[in-house]
Amino acid sequence: MTSQILEELNERLAMPGLTFVAGPGDLPVVQIENEHATAAIALQGAHVLSFQPSGQGDVLFMSRQAIFAPGTPIRGGIPVCWPWFGKNASDPSLPQHGFVRTMPWEVRAAGSGEEGTYVEMALTDNDATRALWPHPFELRLIVTVGRTLRLELVAINTGGQAVTLTSALHTYFAIGDASTISIHGLEGLTYLDKLEDYAQKHQDGPITISDETDRIYLDTAGTCTIEDPKLGRRIIIAKSGSRSTVVWNPWKTRAREMRDFAPDEYQTMVCVETTNAATDVVTVGPGDAHRLIVVISAEQA
Ligand code: TA6
C-alpha cells in the first residue's frame, strides 16, 4: 500500500531534493534536502519530523520511543493540533488536540521558490472528520524548508456557518539541557497555569524550567527565542495569526507516565507552541480562511 502511494507521489511531484520515501513504521514521508537544510515530513498529520540546517543538529526533538503507526500521534517534531487544542471543551471524550494529527493528508503540490523547497498538503472533511466535528472545511499546510522552516496552516471554512477553532503548531524543540535554557519574548505577560487549574499568573523576566511546566501565555503576537548555552544555539520563533503561546515540559514524573517518551528526555526537549488557545479562539466565517504561520530559524554561536 505504502509503496503504491509513494510511486504515485514520486511520479507526480518528485524533483531534485524532494522525494517521497517510506519512513519509520512504513509511514509515507516527504524527504527534502537543499543547500540550506534537510527535513522530513510524515503525510500522517502533515507532521514535520525533522529540520536540520546545514552544519547543525536537528532543531526539532523526536523521542527515541516515538510510535510510528497509522492513527497514533507522534511524540516530537511538529504535530498539527486542529480544530481544537487540548481537551475538547464540550466533549472531553473526543481525541485530545483534535483529529488531524493522526489522519493521512494528501499532497497537493511541491516545488522550490526564493524561500526554499516547499510542499503543500491538504485535508478536507470526510466521514471520519464529520463523525468527530460536523463542519465542512479545507485545511492546508504549506511547509517551506530553506534557511528557515516555515509552516503556514490555512483553515478554510467551506460550510455555510461560522465555526470557532483553537489550534496549535505543537513544536518540540531539541535543546541541550532544559534546566539551563531560557525562553525570551514572553516577559511581563499573563499566563494560564494548566497545572494549577488554569490559574492566571504573571511572567517576570525570561522563562526558565526547573519542574513540570504547562502554560498558555496570552497576548503573544511577538517573536520568541530559546537561548541554549549547552548547544551554543539560539532558536528564533516568529509567527503570525496567533495571539497565544504554549510552553510545555513534562519533567521527570510526567515523563515516566508517557509510553512514547523516554524517562530522561525531558532534559533535551521543550515545546514552544504557536497556538490559538484559551481566550485566543478564532472564528472563521463562511468562505473565509484563517492563517496560522510560524517561521523557525536557528543560529549557532
Ligand atoms: O501543549 C501542552 C499539552 O497540551 C500538555 O498538556 C501535554 O499533555 C502535551 O500537550 C502533550 O499532549 P499529547 O496529547 O500529545 O500527549
Side-chain angles (χ1 to χ4, degrees):
M1 181 64 174
T2 301
S3 61
Q4 264 175 311
I5 295 170
L6 296 174
E7 203 179 318
E8 184 277 318
L9 287 167
N10 277 318
E11 248 171 55
R12 184 160 56 93
L13 295 164
M15 54 179 224
L18 186 148
T19 48
F20 297 89
V21 300
D26 212 28
L27 296 179
V29 161
V30 190
Q31 193 74 52
I32 293 176
E33 183 163 8
N34 59 33
E35 57 178 316
H36 301 299
T38 59
I41 306 145
L43 299 189
Q44 170 165 297
H47 192 134
V48 180
L49 304 174
S50 126
F51 169 60
Q52 190 165 4
S54 308
Q56 288 190 36
D58 212 310
V59 174
L60 302 178
F61 164 88
M62 178 58 64
S63 171
R64 59 182 187 273
Q65 287 183 202
I67 299 164
F68 296 92
T72 304
I74 300 167
R75 181 71 64 204
I78 314 184
V80 177
C81 305
W82 193 95
W84 59 84
F85 171 78
K87 289 219 181 318
N88 182 283
S90 46
D91 183 355
S93 72
L94 290 172
Q96 151 123 321
H97 292 323
F99 47 80
V100 304
R101 65 175 171 163
T102 53
M103 287 187 173
W105 291 45
E106 59 172 299
V107 184
R108 288 271 175 90
S112 62
E114 255 171 48
E115 285 180 54
T117 312
Y118 67 85
V119 60
E120 177 176 334
M121 293 153 288
L123 181 69
T124 49
D125 60 292
N126 56 47
D127 289 347
T129 70
R130 285 188 294 269
L132 298 162
W133 193 66
H135 301 284
F137 69 87
E138 181 178 316
L139 194 58
R140 298 182 196 151
L141 184 72
I142 303 125
V143 179
T144 309
V145 178
R147 280 183 210 284
T148 63
L149 172 68
R150 183 179 191 277
L151 273 71
E152 177 171 352
L153 182 69
V154 188
I156 305 160
N157 179 356
T158 53
Q161 286 170 2
V163 292
T164 54
L165 307 167
T166 54
S167 61
L169 297 168
H170 192 305
T171 314
Y172 289 74
F173 289 103
I175 52 171
D177 177 1
S179 49
T180 62
I181 61 152
S182 52
I183 303 168
H184 302 252
L186 301 169
E187 295 85 343
L189 296 179
T190 298
Y191 66 88
L192 305 179
D193 192 339
K194 269 175 106 174
L195 304 174
E196 289 185 28
D197 199 21
Y198 295 84
Q200 199 163 311
K201 298 187 181 173
H202 180 82
Q203 179 64 43
D204 294 318
I207 301 168
T208 53
I209 294 179
S210 55
D211 205 344
E212 185 178 355
T213 303
D214 196 350
R215 303 173 180 174
I216 305 174
Y217 285 81
L218 305 174
D219 287 319
T220 66
T223 295
C224 279
T225 59
I226 304 172
E227 301 289 342
D228 184 342
K230 185 153 180 205
L231 293 186
R233 181 158 83 172
R234 170 183 297 140
I235 294 173
I236 301 148
I237 308 151
K239 63 172 183 167
S240 67
S242 156
R243 297 197 58 82
S244 52
T245 300
V246 170
V247 176
W248 179 57
N249 183 292
W251 212 248
K252 289 177 205 179
T253 310
R254 275 274 288 135
R256 273 189 242 113
E257 292 164 3
M258 293 190 285
R259 68 182 177 130
D260 58 352
F261 192 84
D264 60 338
E265 285 182 328
Y266 71 91
Q267 292 167 322
T268 53
M269 61 70 71
V270 68
C271 285
V272 179
E273 306 168 30
T274 297
T275 63
N276 294 121
T279 52
D280 181 21
V281 177
V282 168
T283 301
V284 187
D288 288 347
H290 174 68
R291 289 182 148 73
L292 180 64
I293 299 173
V294 67
V295 182
I296 296 163
S297 53
E299 291 171 359
Q300 205 74 49

